Every structure is written in structure tokens, then in C-alpha cells.
Amino acid sequence: MTLLKKYIGRVYMYKNRWKISVQKDGKRKTFYSSTPGNKGQKECAEKAVTWLLSPDKVPLDERTTVDTVYQKYLEEKELETTDTYNIRNRYKNHIKPIIGSIRISRLTRQDMKRVIYTAYTERGLSKKSLKNLRGDLSNFCSYLDDSDIRNDLSTRNIKIPQNAEKGTKRALPAKDIRKVFTCHTTIYCNEEHEDWLINAYRFQIVTGFRPGELMGLEWGDIKENHIEIRRAINAKGKTTRGKNELARRDFPQTKHTRKIIEDQKKYRRNPHNPHERVFGDQGQISYRDRWGIFCKHNGIDYVTPYELRHTFASIYKEFIVGWVLDELMGHFHEGMTLGVYAHRMEGDMKAAPSLLEKYMDAILEDC
């Protein structure tokens, strides 16, 4: 949901005018529109959103540090997106220790280079992580410019070290996938019990869902022929619209997803509540810990929950058309911008359920 759509719903009619009151940093403002109909409602919401997104002047003096301004930048960022968990972590772990105490008036491009090179040499970050870090610094520079604080900083000449390693993507081998589908016990309180998350592990392997998407799945999202992905729950327990705009998608039902969902019904508390979460009120951290214990108990080489998504991709990457696999996983693909004919693409997508079943069957045939 965009910020505009969010606030349109809060606009109401008051004395023949549209009205909305919003608050930012302890300041409350009210906006009006006399334009009739939906146009006026939207106009009123736009006024509020413009004010909410407008950067406030940061009180500056010679002692103001990068940390003071960066914290303000993070507050502004949260008005744009709820997914700031990773941004905050990168700042806390890699940016703040290097430049947080520097006065904002004395910050240089060389200081920002030190952030990248320290993360590379001392922390061993991968090429992708270093690019994300540089992106954070670039966005911060834009914020400084937009806020009339500094307009002479950029990351344009900050290079990613050529020798930075590409992040390795691991996946479960076939023997361990079969173990996930045949084993069902774990250790809890020093005793062996049935793992109440066993269906979640299996479901993630056969769908390639992101961990947050798995956590956010509700019973009302389960349809006869497809599963709707409409939300994710991040590592801090916040519900978001997903990693990107493509994350909201429909995944075709297969015999494997149907079987897992049917098995999961015994854990359902209220069959009349469509908003009950399919795999319980589990958080990502707890889910990761329980998965690790399950792996150790059953002799499975551990991969992270996110790498269960890579496992799905590794099973199908040789057999399913690239753009179809990208859509199933909520990735961007070239067909969105190259004007590929829709009827040919629809034919590829219609074949997806049978292909998903065929190659998963090949993995599980010895189960």
C-alpha cells in the first residue's frame, strides 16, 4: 500500500469539505479540500502526504554529528517504507562505527570510502552486501542534498573492491530434501516430539516462499487453484507488503501444496477465521532456530530458511522457463519491459503446475 492510498482512507467529510489531520514529530496539522467527490478526497490526502514526506530542517551546529542526522534520515525513511530493518542494521553494524561520530560538516567522500573498505577487509562482506551498503550511503547523500545540509557529497567514485566475493547460495541436496519429507520429529525441552513446523519446512521447499511470506500466509489466502501472497512479516514482527512490488503474486496449487495444507489443518485453531496464520504465530527468528534444531536432530546439513528458497530455485532452474520461475518467486524479469507477447507467456505459465509436480516427484520418488 502506497502512502497516498493509506491516507486517502483517513480523509473524511466535515462541514462540506474533505478533512484529514496527521502528525509528524509531535506536530499535528490539518488539511482541507473543497473540491467535491473523489478528486477532492485525493487532493486532501496528497496535501497531507506532501507535508509528511517533506524533510524538516535538521537543527545544525558545528557539533552536529553524522549519527544525529542519520537517525533523522532513518525516521524519514520509515515514512516511505516499513521495511527499514536491514537498513538500520547496516547502519548500526557498518556505517555508524566508522563515521557516526564525525561532524556532518566535516564528512568527506573518503570517509564513506572507509565504510566500504572496512566492511570488505575486516568484515568480509560479499559484493552484494557491499553494494547494498554503498546504496545506503548514496541515499543518505541524497537526503543531505534534499534537506539543504550538504550538496557536495556523493558515492559516484566509490568502487566496490574487485576481489569481493560473490555471495554463495547454498541449497539442500536431494538426500536432505527427502529427509525433510520423511522425518517429522525434533527435540523440544530435551525430549523428542513431533515438529509442529514440519509442514512449514516442506511448504517452503515446494513453493520457494521467502521466510517472511511464509510467516504472513493466512488461511484466507489459500484458494482452490492458487495461493495468494499478499503480505510478509519481517524479522521484527512487522507486517509489510513484501520485499518489492512483485512479491504480491499468486502461486499455483499443486498436489504437493494441497497435501501439505491438508496436513496443516490439524493445527488450525479457528476454521472460521480467514486471518489466522497458516503456520501459527511464529516469528522468523524462532522459525530459524526451530529449523536448525530439526536439521541437527535428523542429520540434515544446515542451510538457512532463506536458502530453502534457493533450494526451490535449484530444483527447477533447468526445467522451467526463466521468466516463469522469476514470477513464481516474485522476481523481476525481462518480459515485463521487453514487450513479450502475452499469449505465449500465458502458455508457459499454464504449464507450470505440472512441471512443479513432475520434478518434485523426481526428488521425492524414494520417499
Side-chain angles (χ1 to χ4, degrees):
M1 182 184 293
T2 65
L3 201 60
L4 180 60
K5 287 183 179 178
K6 174 182 177 181
Y7 282 98
I8 282 179
R10 300 184 183 183
V11 176
Y12 61 96
M13 187 61 71
Y14 177 76
K15 294 184 177 180
N16 297 320
R17 291 191 300 173
W18 292 108
K19 177 182 178 180
I20 183 173
S21 296
V22 292
Q23 185 169 314
K24 179 175 74 167
D25 298 334
K27 299 177 183 177
R28 188 172 182 82
K29 290 194 72 171
T30 300
F31 300 90
Y32 299 91
S33 174
S34 299
T35 306
N38 292 339
K39 184 177 180 181
Q41 186 181 24
K42 182 179 179 182
E43 184 180 277
C44 191
E46 285 175 341
K47 290 179 181 179
V49 169
T50 299
W51 178 69
L52 287 169
L53 292 179
S54 62
D56 289 339
K57 292 283 186 181
V58 179
L60 297 176
D61 57 38
E62 274 300 310
R63 298 179 183 178
T64 303
T65 63
V66 169
D67 183 55
T68 299
V69 182
Y70 212 102
Q71 296 296 342
K72 183 65 179 176
Y73 158 69
L74 292 172
E75 290 176 13
E76 299 281 350
K77 195 70 179 173
E78 287 187 338
L79 290 173
E80 301 174 23
T81 175
T82 57
D83 191 17
T84 59
Y85 178 76
N86 290 329
I87 298 173
R88 285 186 174 276
N89 270 352
R90 287 193 293 267
Y91 174 66
K92 174 185 174 183
N93 296 327
H94 304 293
I95 299 176
K96 183 178 179 179
I98 306 302
I99 64 173
S101 60
I102 295 176
R103 296 179 184 180
I104 192 67
S105 60
R106 297 182 181 179
L107 180 67
T108 67
R109 285 188 286 269
Q110 188 61 36
D111 292 324
M112 293 190 290
K113 282 184 180 179
R114 284 195 298 116
V115 171
I116 300 299
Y117 294 131
T118 302
Y120 167 62
T121 58
E122 297 184 12
R123 306 297 291 273
L125 263 60
S126 68
K127 184 169 291 188
K128 181 179 179 182
S129 296
L130 291 172
K131 287 182 177 179
N132 288 337
L133 200 56
R134 184 176 62 183
D136 290 341
L137 291 170
S138 179
N139 290 334
F140 180 59
C141 290
S142 297
Y143 172 78
L144 294 177
D145 190 4
D146 293 342
S147 302
D148 295 329
I149 298 173
R150 296 278 300 271
N151 61 7
D152 58 333
L153 293 174
S154 76
T155 59
R156 187 170 56 251
N157 295 321
I158 299 180
K159 307 297 182 184
I160 302 299
Q162 290 186 350
N163 293 330
E165 293 185 2
K166 291 184 177 180
T168 55
K169 295 181 178 180
R170 298 180 300 164
L172 282 181
K175 65 179 181 65
D176 284 343
I177 294 175
R178 287 192 283 270
K179 283 184 180 179
V180 174
F181 280 82
T182 52
C183 302
H184 56 85
T185 60
T186 190
I187 296 297
Y188 185 71
C189 293
N190 297 319
E191 295 182 358
E192 187 177 65
H193 295 272
E194 180 175 347
D195 194 328
W196 63 87
L197 288 171
I198 185 62
N199 293 318
Y201 312 148
R202 293 170 180 174
F203 193 82
Q204 200 177 356
I205 291 173
V206 302
T207 62
F209 278 23
R210 297 177 176 93
E213 294 169 348
L214 189 76
M215 302 298 102
L217 191 66
E218 299 177 352
W219 283 103
D221 300 324
I222 309 299
K223 310 300 181 184
E224 182 177 354
N225 294 314
H226 67 275
I227 299 159
E228 296 179 347
I229 301 100
R230 297 293 182 267
R231 73 198 66 79
I233 298 178
N234 65 23
K236 297 193 78 172
K238 290 186 177 180
T239 300
T240 73
R241 288 169 59 83
K243 183 174 182 179
N244 54 52
E245 61 183 285
L246 305 176
R248 292 168 62 85
R249 63 197 187 279
D250 293 342
F251 190 94
Q253 284 270 28
T254 67
K255 66 180 183 182
H256 300 294
T257 58
R258 289 189 173 96
K259 169 81 166 57
I260 294 168
I261 291 298
E262 188 62 33
D263 291 345
Q264 184 63 16
K265 285 181 179 178
K266 70 178 181 180
Y267 296 108
R268 190 171 184 182
R269 298 173 182 173
N270 184 358
H272 302 292
N273 180 12
H275 298 297
E276 181 182 344
R277 286 160 56 180
V278 174
F279 298 107
D281 296 328
Q282 203 72 28
Q284 285 196 42
I285 295 174
S286 174
Y287 177 68
R288 182 188 63 204
D289 291 345
R290 295 310 311 171
W291 163 245
I293 294 170
F294 174 83
C295 289
K296 184 177 180 179
H297 179 62
N298 292 288
I300 295 170
D301 290 336
Y302 178 78
V303 299
T304 67
Y306 204 94
E307 287 168 332
L308 292 180
R309 176 172 164 81
H310 298 161
T311 299
F312 171 85
S314 70
I315 294 171
Y316 295 109
K317 64 182 180 182
E318 301 295 333
F319 309 111
I320 294 182
V321 177
W323 79 265
V324 174
L325 190 58
D326 285 338
E327 286 218 348
L328 291 173
M329 299 185 72
H331 287 162
F332 177 84
H333 64 81
E334 290 183 347
M336 293 178 174
T337 57
L338 296 182
V340 179
Y341 286 107
H343 60 270
R344 180 167 67 85
M345 295 172 73
E346 287 172 1
D348 289 335
M349 185 57 84
K350 286 179 180 177
S354 60
L355 292 174
L356 290 170
E357 292 179 356
K358 177 180 178 180
Y359 294 106
M360 185 59 67
D361 282 345
I363 295 282
L364 301 178
E365 62 183 355
D366 295 330
C367 289

